Amino acid sequence: MLMVMDVGNTNIVVGVHDGKSWQAHWRISSSRSRTSDEFGIILGSMFAYSGMDMKDIENIIISTVVPPLLVPLCNMCKRFFSITPFVVTSEINTGLKLDYDDPSQIGADRIVNAVAAHNLYGDKGNLIIIDFGTATTFCALTPEGEYLGGAIAPGIGISTEALFQKAAKLPRIELIKPPKAICRDTIHAMRSGVIFGFVGQMDGLISRMKKELGGQAFVVATGGFGKLMASESDQVDVVEPFLTLEGLRILHEMNR
């Protein structure tokens, strides 16, 4: 079986694939103070909870945008799984042409998402991939697999948290859809500003990117807020919650 790990600034998403389907997936916090032993014990508990055996893992692939976590995670893989993991970089075989001034600056998560989207929807024409993570990333891809770059914006979660921390009278809120844009209480007004505001940002960037791509593009959304944002927009064609995990699986097959 294959274990994939997508290491983000807020969470680490782990998935286990048996060659046919995803058998399990978990999400743990990306604490930079955790040791390799702590990561191993946490994963061991998750395997046990899911009725799975760590000994069944034959290969591991990791993508990370948090360099300080790479060493403890690699050490964890060697100690608890007896496996040296494959690490995603811009230099591996991706099947894409990275048309970027410095491909090494492209986040591993953006590469992985582009690989998955190209393999799943490459026949749809130009692609725009939006990942709602700690940062919100927008990537553009041609039908031939040419990665053109994109845009990076502050994420919904950190923007909301900044509002709470910097404005003394504003509370920390749960991000759920408000009943309307014009709201008569502070909490709903904050929800309106954040959710509808980010939908406007998303739709505006999609429109600009489509224009630069010649007018048409198939839009794929993923990430924690992907479903919520897509439900408020007519610009998103499909939501793929496990796009990154699928991209890691595809990359493992291409580079094994």
mmCIF file of all heavy atoms in Angstrom, residues 53-82:
data_model
loop_
_atom_site.group_PDB
_atom_site.id
_atom_site.type_symbol
_atom_site.label_atom_id
_atom_site.label_comp_id
_atom_site.label_asym_id
_atom_site.label_seq_id
_atom_site.Cartn_x
_atom_site.Cartn_y
_atom_site.Cartn_z
ATOM 1 N N ASP A 53 -2.610 -1.838 9.483
ATOM 2 C CA ASP A 53 -1.288 -2.166 10.003
ATOM 3 C C ASP A 53 -0.238 -1.328 9.272
ATOM 4 O O ASP A 53 -0.180 -1.330 8.036
ATOM 5 C CB ASP A 53 -0.991 -3.654 9.815
ATOM 6 C CG ASP A 53 0.213 -4.117 10.619
ATOM 7 O OD1 ASP A 53 1.088 -3.280 10.919
ATOM 8 O OD2 ASP A 53 0.284 -5.316 10.941
ATOM 9 N N MET A 54 0.594 -0.639 10.024
ATOM 10 C CA MET A 54 1.651 0.185 9.434
ATOM 11 C C MET A 54 2.617 -0.666 8.600
ATOM 12 O O MET A 54 3.250 -0.159 7.673
ATOM 13 C CB MET A 54 2.416 0.930 10.531
ATOM 14 C CG MET A 54 1.555 1.940 11.286
ATOM 15 S SD MET A 54 2.389 2.621 12.756
ATOM 16 C CE MET A 54 3.544 3.755 11.994
ATOM 17 N N LYS A 55 2.724 -1.944 8.920
ATOM 18 C CA LYS A 55 3.641 -2.829 8.199
ATOM 19 C C LYS A 55 3.199 -3.073 6.757
ATOM 20 O O LYS A 55 3.985 -3.542 5.933
ATOM 21 C CB LYS A 55 3.770 -4.165 8.929
ATOM 22 C CG LYS A 55 4.429 -4.055 10.297
ATOM 23 C CD LYS A 55 4.521 -5.410 10.975
ATOM 24 C CE LYS A 55 5.167 -5.294 12.349
ATOM 25 N NZ LYS A 55 5.223 -6.612 13.032
ATOM 26 N N ASP A 56 1.929 -2.765 6.455
ATOM 27 C CA ASP A 56 1.427 -2.976 5.100
ATOM 28 C C ASP A 56 1.840 -1.857 4.138
ATOM 29 O O ASP A 56 1.660 -1.983 2.928
ATOM 30 C CB ASP A 56 -0.102 -3.082 5.113
ATOM 31 C CG ASP A 56 -0.583 -4.354 5.802
ATOM 32 O OD1 ASP A 56 0.170 -5.340 5.813
ATOM 33 O OD2 ASP A 56 -1.706 -4.343 6.346
ATOM 34 N N ILE A 57 2.365 -0.751 4.673
ATOM 35 C CA ILE A 57 2.805 0.360 3.820
ATOM 36 C C ILE A 57 4.111 -0.026 3.139
ATOM 37 O O ILE A 57 5.095 -0.371 3.787
ATOM 38 C CB ILE A 57 2.987 1.648 4.646
ATOM 39 C CG1 ILE A 57 1.648 2.064 5.270
ATOM 40 C CG2 ILE A 57 3.536 2.758 3.765
ATOM 41 C CD1 ILE A 57 0.547 2.365 4.272
ATOM 42 N N GLU A 58 4.108 0.057 1.809
ATOM 43 C CA GLU A 58 5.284 -0.311 1.019
ATOM 44 C C GLU A 58 6.026 0.902 0.463
ATOM 45 O O GLU A 58 7.237 0.835 0.216
ATOM 46 C CB GLU A 58 4.851 -1.211 -0.151
ATOM 47 C CG GLU A 58 4.175 -2.497 0.287
ATOM 48 C CD GLU A 58 3.515 -3.211 -0.871
ATOM 49 O OE1 GLU A 58 2.626 -2.601 -1.502
ATOM 50 O OE2 GLU A 58 3.916 -4.362 -1.137
ATOM 51 N N ASN A 59 5.286 2.008 0.252
ATOM 52 C CA ASN A 59 5.888 3.219 -0.314
ATOM 53 C C ASN A 59 5.254 4.444 0.327
ATOM 54 O O ASN A 59 4.082 4.414 0.745
ATOM 55 C CB ASN A 59 5.676 3.275 -1.831
ATOM 56 C CG ASN A 59 6.391 2.168 -2.566
ATOM 57 O OD1 ASN A 59 7.605 2.205 -2.744
ATOM 58 N ND2 ASN A 59 5.641 1.156 -2.989
ATOM 59 N N ILE A 60 6.042 5.519 0.392
ATOM 60 C CA ILE A 60 5.571 6.783 0.960
ATOM 61 C C ILE A 60 6.026 7.927 0.057
ATOM 62 O O ILE A 60 7.170 7.955 -0.386
ATOM 63 C CB ILE A 60 6.122 7.017 2.381
ATOM 64 C CG1 ILE A 60 5.691 5.886 3.321
ATOM 65 C CG2 ILE A 60 5.632 8.358 2.939
ATOM 66 C CD1 ILE A 60 6.333 5.954 4.703
ATOM 67 N N ILE A 61 5.129 8.867 -0.201
ATOM 68 C CA ILE A 61 5.471 10.064 -0.962
ATOM 69 C C ILE A 61 5.015 11.279 -0.160
ATOM 70 O O ILE A 61 3.926 11.267 0.428
ATOM 71 C CB ILE A 61 4.852 10.050 -2.383
ATOM 72 C CG1 ILE A 61 5.272 11.294 -3.163
ATOM 73 C CG2 ILE A 61 3.344 9.904 -2.339
ATOM 74 C CD1 ILE A 61 4.901 11.242 -4.643
ATOM 75 N N ILE A 62 5.856 12.306 -0.128
ATOM 76 C CA ILE A 62 5.591 13.500 0.673
ATOM 77 C C ILE A 62 5.714 14.745 -0.198
ATOM 78 O O ILE A 62 6.666 14.886 -0.971
ATOM 79 C CB ILE A 62 6.590 13.628 1.847
ATOM 80 C CG1 ILE A 62 6.454 12.452 2.818
ATOM 81 C CG2 ILE A 62 6.385 14.942 2.599
ATOM 82 C CD1 ILE A 62 7.498 12.471 3.931
ATOM 83 N N SER A 63 4.750 15.661 -0.048
ATOM 84 C CA SER A 63 4.909 17.014 -0.573
ATOM 85 C C SER A 63 4.788 17.960 0.606
ATOM 86 O O SER A 63 3.953 17.746 1.492
ATOM 87 C CB SER A 63 3.852 17.339 -1.635
ATOM 88 O OG SER A 63 2.574 17.471 -1.046
ATOM 89 N N THR A 64 5.616 18.992 0.637
ATOM 90 C CA THR A 64 5.569 19.912 1.765
ATOM 91 C C THR A 64 5.858 21.332 1.337
ATOM 92 O O THR A 64 6.666 21.570 0.433
ATOM 93 C CB THR A 64 6.570 19.495 2.870
ATOM 94 O OG1 THR A 64 6.487 20.438 3.953
ATOM 95 C CG2 THR A 64 7.994 19.448 2.357
ATOM 96 N N VAL A 65 5.173 22.275 1.975
ATOM 97 C CA VAL A 65 5.480 23.692 1.826
ATOM 98 C C VAL A 65 6.037 24.226 3.143
ATOM 99 O O VAL A 65 6.141 25.437 3.330
ATOM 100 C CB VAL A 65 4.230 24.503 1.400
ATOM 101 C CG1 VAL A 65 3.771 24.077 0.012
ATOM 102 C CG2 VAL A 65 3.093 24.340 2.403
ATOM 103 N N VAL A 66 6.389 23.302 4.042
ATOM 104 C CA VAL A 66 6.946 23.667 5.352
ATOM 105 C C VAL A 66 8.294 22.957 5.496
ATOM 106 O O VAL A 66 8.376 21.867 6.076
ATOM 107 C CB VAL A 66 6.000 23.258 6.504
ATOM 108 C CG1 VAL A 66 6.486 23.860 7.824
ATOM 109 C CG2 VAL A 66 4.572 23.689 6.219
ATOM 110 N N PRO A 67 9.381 23.530 4.961
ATOM 111 C CA PRO A 67 10.684 22.854 4.970
ATOM 112 C C PRO A 67 11.141 22.328 6.339
ATOM 113 O O PRO A 67 11.713 21.232 6.402
ATOM 114 C CB PRO A 67 11.630 23.936 4.433
ATOM 115 C CG PRO A 67 10.765 24.790 3.567
ATOM 116 C CD PRO A 67 9.436 24.834 4.256
ATOM 117 N N PRO A 68 10.905 23.049 7.459
ATOM 118 C CA PRO A 68 11.376 22.526 8.748
ATOM 119 C C PRO A 68 10.759 21.183 9.156
ATOM 120 O O PRO A 68 11.320 20.488 10.003
ATOM 121 C CB PRO A 68 10.977 23.626 9.743
ATOM 122 C CG PRO A 68 10.878 24.865 8.933
ATOM 123 C CD PRO A 68 10.345 24.413 7.601
ATOM 124 N N LEU A 69 9.627 20.828 8.565
ATOM 125 C CA LEU A 69 8.983 19.561 8.923
ATOM 126 C C LEU A 69 9.485 18.385 8.103
ATOM 127 O O LEU A 69 9.197 17.230 8.436
ATOM 128 C CB LEU A 69 7.463 19.674 8.764
ATOM 129 C CG LEU A 69 6.736 20.484 9.832
ATOM 130 C CD1 LEU A 69 5.240 20.520 9.540
ATOM 131 C CD2 LEU A 69 6.976 19.903 11.220
ATOM 132 N N LEU A 70 10.231 18.652 7.039
ATOM 133 C CA LEU A 70 10.644 17.563 6.154
ATOM 134 C C LEU A 70 11.584 16.583 6.854
ATOM 135 O O LEU A 70 11.415 15.365 6.724
ATOM 136 C CB LEU A 70 11.311 18.125 4.897
ATOM 137 C CG LEU A 70 11.666 17.097 3.822
ATOM 138 C CD1 LEU A 70 10.432 16.322 3.382
ATOM 139 C CD2 LEU A 70 12.320 17.778 2.626
ATOM 140 N N VAL A 71 12.553 17.091 7.601
ATOM 141 C CA VAL A 71 13.515 16.208 8.265
ATOM 142 C C VAL A 71 12.842 15.304 9.302
ATOM 143 O O VAL A 71 13.018 14.079 9.265
ATOM 144 C CB VAL A 71 14.668 17.018 8.899
ATOM 145 C CG1 VAL A 71 15.527 16.115 9.796
ATOM 146 C CG2 VAL A 71 15.535 17.640 7.817
ATOM 147 N N PRO A 72 12.045 15.843 10.256
ATOM 148 C CA PRO A 72 11.392 14.932 11.206
ATOM 149 C C PRO A 72 10.437 13.945 10.548
ATOM 150 O O PRO A 72 10.327 12.797 11.002
ATOM 151 C CB PRO A 72 10.660 15.874 12.168
ATOM 152 C CG PRO A 72 10.599 17.189 11.487
ATOM 153 C CD PRO A 72 11.787 17.257 10.599
ATOM 154 N N LEU A 73 9.764 14.345 9.473
ATOM 155 C CA LEU A 73 8.848 13.420 8.812
ATOM 156 C C LEU A 73 9.612 12.317 8.081
ATOM 157 O O LEU A 73 9.202 11.149 8.112
ATOM 158 C CB LEU A 73 7.944 14.172 7.840
ATOM 159 C CG LEU A 73 6.836 15.008 8.491
ATOM 160 C CD1 LEU A 73 6.120 15.864 7.463
ATOM 161 C CD2 LEU A 73 5.837 14.114 9.224
ATOM 162 N N CYS A 74 10.725 12.676 7.435
ATOM 163 C CA CYS A 74 11.539 11.653 6.770
ATOM 164 C C CYS A 74 12.122 10.691 7.798
ATOM 165 O O CYS A 74 12.152 9.466 7.585
ATOM 166 C CB CYS A 74 12.648 12.299 5.959
ATOM 167 S SG CYS A 74 12.080 13.098 4.433
ATOM 168 N N ASN A 75 12.583 11.226 8.925
ATOM 169 C CA ASN A 75 13.111 10.365 9.986
ATOM 170 C C ASN A 75 12.024 9.454 10.537
ATOM 171 O O ASN A 75 12.275 8.282 10.857
ATOM 172 C CB ASN A 75 13.708 11.212 11.105
ATOM 173 C CG ASN A 75 15.013 11.871 10.705
ATOM 174 O OD1 ASN A 75 15.677 11.435 9.770
ATOM 175 N ND2 ASN A 75 15.386 12.936 11.398
ATOM 176 N N MET A 76 10.816 9.974 10.661
ATOM 177 C CA MET A 76 9.680 9.166 11.123
ATOM 178 C C MET A 76 9.410 8.012 10.174
ATOM 179 O O MET A 76 9.184 6.877 10.589
ATOM 180 C CB MET A 76 8.446 10.055 11.265
ATOM 181 C CG MET A 76 7.172 9.327 11.698
ATOM 182 S SD MET A 76 6.227 8.586 10.341
ATOM 183 C CE MET A 76 5.751 10.036 9.422
ATOM 184 N N CYS A 77 9.446 8.305 8.870
ATOM 185 C CA CYS A 77 9.190 7.264 7.870
ATOM 186 C C CYS A 77 10.232 6.148 7.971
ATOM 187 O O CYS A 77 9.899 4.960 7.871
ATOM 188 C CB CYS A 77 9.197 7.862 6.467
ATOM 189 S SG CYS A 77 7.816 8.978 6.123
ATOM 190 N N LYS A 78 11.481 6.527 8.165
ATOM 191 C CA LYS A 78 12.552 5.535 8.252
ATOM 192 C C LYS A 78 12.431 4.703 9.524
ATOM 193 O O LYS A 78 12.643 3.484 9.511
ATOM 194 C CB LYS A 78 13.905 6.235 8.200
ATOM 195 C CG LYS A 78 14.199 6.901 6.862
ATOM 196 C CD LYS A 78 15.475 7.739 6.919
ATOM 197 C CE LYS A 78 15.701 8.493 5.618
ATOM 198 N NZ LYS A 78 16.893 9.384 5.698
ATOM 199 N N ARG A 79 12.085 5.349 10.648
ATOM 200 C CA ARG A 79 12.050 4.634 11.927
ATOM 201 C C ARG A 79 10.803 3.770 12.084
ATOM 202 O O ARG A 79 10.883 2.631 12.528
ATOM 203 C CB ARG A 79 12.133 5.629 13.085
ATOM 204 C CG ARG A 79 12.024 4.958 14.450
ATOM 205 C CD ARG A 79 12.365 5.871 15.579
ATOM 206 N NE ARG A 79 12.303 5.149 16.857
ATOM 207 C CZ ARG A 79 12.577 5.676 18.027
ATOM 208 N NH1 ARG A 79 12.976 6.932 18.101
ATOM 209 N NH2 ARG A 79 12.472 4.970 19.134
ATOM 210 N N PHE A 80 9.643 4.306 11.732
ATOM 211 C CA PHE A 80 8.386 3.605 11.997
ATOM 212 C C PHE A 80 7.910 2.749 10.825
ATOM 213 O O PHE A 80 7.117 1.829 11.017
ATOM 214 C CB PHE A 80 7.293 4.613 12.379
ATOM 215 C CG PHE A 80 7.468 5.203 13.746
ATOM 216 C CD1 PHE A 80 8.301 6.294 13.952
ATOM 217 C CD2 PHE A 80 6.819 4.669 14.841
ATOM 218 C CE1 PHE A 80 8.476 6.845 15.209
ATOM 219 C CE2 PHE A 80 6.970 5.206 16.108
ATOM 220 C CZ PHE A 80 7.816 6.300 16.303
ATOM 221 N N PHE A 81 8.370 3.074 9.593
ATOM 222 C CA PHE A 81 7.926 2.316 8.426
ATOM 223 C C PHE A 81 9.079 1.615 7.706
ATOM 224 O O PHE A 81 8.841 0.843 6.788
ATOM 225 C CB PHE A 81 7.214 3.244 7.427
ATOM 226 C CG PHE A 81 5.928 3.828 7.925
ATOM 227 C CD1 PHE A 81 5.924 5.041 8.609
ATOM 228 C CD2 PHE A 81 4.718 3.188 7.713
ATOM 229 C CE1 PHE A 81 4.735 5.604 9.075
ATOM 230 C CE2 PHE A 81 3.524 3.741 8.168
ATOM 231 C CZ PHE A 81 3.532 4.945 8.851
ATOM 232 N N SER A 82 10.307 1.925 8.111
ATOM 233 C CA SER A 82 11.511 1.393 7.441
ATOM 234 C C SER A 82 11.509 1.739 5.954
ATOM 235 O O SER A 82 11.882 0.928 5.105
ATOM 236 C CB SER A 82 11.615 -0.130 7.640
ATOM 237 O OG SER A 82 11.723 -0.448 9.012
#
